[in-house]
Amino acid sequence: MTERTLPHDPYITAVCEALDKAGLKVKDGRTDDCETRGTYCYLNAVIELDMMSVGLQDERPGLLLIWEWHTGREADHGEPDRGPVWKFAELQDDGSNEYPTDLPVYGYASAAAIVEAARKVISHEIKPGDFFNLGQWRGWTGGLIGDSWEHADQLESACAEWDARE
């Protein structure tokens, strides 16, 4: 995590703790506020799972779980709409990662939902390249996984307050 406090720190900490408790060990977890196009910021978090903890080190070097909260200010320029989204990306042998794919969870998904979705990615039930288009999932037919985090309202308010200060 970062040294300064960001609105999503408690949320990402709860998700990391749930992943660890479920045996999906977190190798690295960090939060940040990032610039897009040098003008607007967005909140993000990147969680890297330790693939050795699930016995898949030889199959895949790593798995990233990515959370982003966008201001929506640049939606007319192709940037995401306002609000949160979860994505995942598999790491490659050279340290790069594939293009992130949406996770079929709520933007403020419960920690349990993230654990379940990560397990489905690891088992290949959800695959890189599955995506949401025209109101339905392509490649993934299981719908949204889980529910929202019990503190989603507070997180949403904290993100909005952060946005108002930026």
Side-chain angles (χ1 to χ4, degrees):
M1 298 291 177
T2 58
E3 290 185 25
R4 66 187 182 287
T5 302
L6 293 170
H8 56 307
D9 286 346
Y11 177 48
I12 299 306
T13 297
V15 170
C16 288
E17 288 171 354
L19 288 161
D20 279 337
K21 187 176 179 180
L24 303 174
K25 300 298 180 201
V26 173
K27 186 174 184 178
D28 187 24
R30 56 190 177 278
T31 61
D32 203 357
D33 52 352
C34 299
E35 288 188 64
T36 60
R37 297 182 188 245
T39 305
Y40 299 115
C41 292
Y42 65 97
L43 297 169
N44 84 328
V46 177
I47 300 168
E48 182 180 349
L49 295 183
D50 179 357
M51 297 311 281
M52 288 180 62
S53 71
V54 294
L56 294 174
Q57 181 194 17
D58 294 335
E59 184 178 336
R60 286 177 249 184
L63 177 65
L64 301 177
L65 301 175
I66 304 159
W67 182 83
E68 297 177 349
W69 187 90
H70 290 268
T71 63
R73 293 179 193 153
E74 293 183 314
D76 59 339
H77 296 345
E79 295 296 326
D81 291 331
R82 182 178 180 88
V85 64
W86 275 99
K87 299 175 179 279
F88 75 94
E90 291 184 354
L91 290 173
Q92 307 298 318
D93 289 329
D94 65 3
S96 66
N97 62 271
E98 65 184 20
Y99 192 80
T101 298
D102 289 346
L103 269 178
V105 296
Y106 293 99
Y108 300 115
S110 68
I114 299 303
V115 168
E116 184 179 347
R119 285 186 170 142
K120 291 185 182 307
V121 170
I122 290 166
S123 70
H124 296 291
E125 292 175 66
I126 299 172
K127 298 174 201 65
D130 288 351
F131 60 94
F132 191 73
N133 188 23
L134 302 175
Q136 58 185 309
W137 287 95
R138 304 283 188 219
W140 164 252
T141 59
L144 284 174
I145 296 170
D147 54 5
S148 293
W149 191 45
E150 63 267 18
H151 304 292
D153 291 342
Q154 293 123 318
L155 177 56
E156 184 173 11
S157 294
C159 290
E161 288 173 21
W162 171 86
D163 178 29
R165 290 189 306 269
E166 289 303 310

